[in-house]
Amino acid sequence: MKIAFVFPGQGSQAVGMAAGFADNAAAAAVMKTADAALGESLSGLIAEGPAEKLNLTVNTQPAVLSVSYALYSAWLAAGGVKPAVAAGHSLGEYTALLAAGTFTLEEAVKLVRFRAEAMQSAVPVGVGGMAAIIGITDEAVEKACAEAAEGEVVEPVNFNSPGQVVIAGNTAAVARACEKCKAAGAKRALPLAVSGPFHSKLLAGAAEKLGVRLSEVEVKTPAFDVIANVDAAVHTAPDDIRTVLARQAASPVQWVKTVHAMKAMGVTHVVECGPGKVLTGLIRRVDPTIETANISSVDAIAALLEKDGFRA
């Protein structure tokens, strides 16, 4: 039995997502530290909203990271085993590295707030967008994007599972690519309610800013393997971690390859730690032989600890 933990990204947030562990001392300590690091009541926004404010990228990213790490801290405090491997989807990669001791919590919260600001400001609102393409091959999506570009940017940016790819780029190019994907047999081509073309080449400026910011951050060697989004490989040297995190802002999230990498490393069980269950569903579609579980509350932690192999 080899256990991996995965951490969700932006889009998994919801007002009240910390309600399931409000009285847990370990989780409460994480939220208190996050509030102090940002100099504001992030925990209050998570608990009470409004949703419109929580859904702003600059708030969503530190909020999801903090809640996910609070759950991880509650898991350890309850006697849960540390993972042998970890990964995260986009923002979740920062949480995975935080769990592995690469950053301090204070630094991680401030870093993802900076990341959010850099990503949001890289492209004016309305200039870029994203869409989910369901039901055709990666190669068909890539071909549709190449044909739809017409001098603009549109490209696959999230390889989430077989038959589910997210594209991003200039708004008009994304719309053209959606039509071409439908013509190629896609079951659905859904524009996403996001404020920018995240992980596309249009965010090269954000990646550059992140590189500078990361050069100022203390990065420690992870305590366990963390698989990077950009190449589905494990990086342990601090400078290599800085490089792949900076690249990630303007590079595709290779989630399918990440799941395959876990399997190749001998992972048998994956625990999604954080709000929502998106990654659990994706992993099942990528490789249904991997056992999955989800911990988004103290009750879920207690239930999983009853199963063999999950206690430290």
Side-chain angles (χ1 to χ4, degrees), residues 1-114:
M1 184 173 180
K2 189 171 185 178
I3 299 170
F5 266 55
V6 296
F7 298 90
Q10 195 165 335
S12 58
Q13 73 276 3
V15 173
M17 61 184 172
F21 55 85
D23 298 325
N24 183 278
V30 169
M31 301 311 298
K32 184 177 180 180
T33 300
D35 285 352
L38 294 177
E40 62 189 68
S41 182
L42 184 67
S43 58
L45 176 61
I46 291 166
E48 300 170 9
E52 294 78 12
K53 187 175 180 183
L54 179 62
N55 289 337
L56 293 174
T57 298
V58 293
N59 294 324
T60 301
Q61 294 200 18
V64 171
L65 176 136
S66 298
V67 169
S68 299
Y69 187 66
L71 283 160
Y72 180 73
S73 299
W75 167 261
L76 295 182
V81 67
K82 288 186 177 180
V85 183
H89 193 286
S90 188
L91 164 72
E93 186 174 338
Y94 287 77
T95 319
L97 288 164
L98 170 60
T102 303
F103 308 115
T104 65
L105 173 58
E106 293 89 343
E107 190 61 79
V109 172
K110 290 186 282 189
L111 181 58
V112 298
R113 167 62 61 82
F114 179 90

Side-chain angles (χ1 to χ4, degrees), residues 204-241:
E208 190 174 334
K209 287 180 181 177
L210 261 174
V212 174
R213 177 71 173 80
L214 283 159
S215 70
E216 303 165 354
V217 175
E218 182 182 7
V219 176
K220 296 180 180 177
T221 301
F224 44 77
D225 288 341
V226 177
I227 303 171
N229 283 181
V230 297
D231 56 8
V234 173
H235 301 273
T236 57
D239 280 347
D240 291 343
I241 292 169

Side-chain angles (χ1 to χ4, degrees), residues 131 133 136 140-150 153-155 167-168 170-184 186 189:
I133 309 299
I136 57 174
V141 175
E142 289 168 350
K143 184 173 184 286
C145 287
E147 293 174 352
E150 297 180 15
V153 170
V154 61
E155 58 191 338
I167 64 173
N170 294 104
T171 304
V174 169
R176 291 192 297 269
C178 284
E179 293 306 312
K180 289 188 179 292
C181 286
K182 289 178 189 173

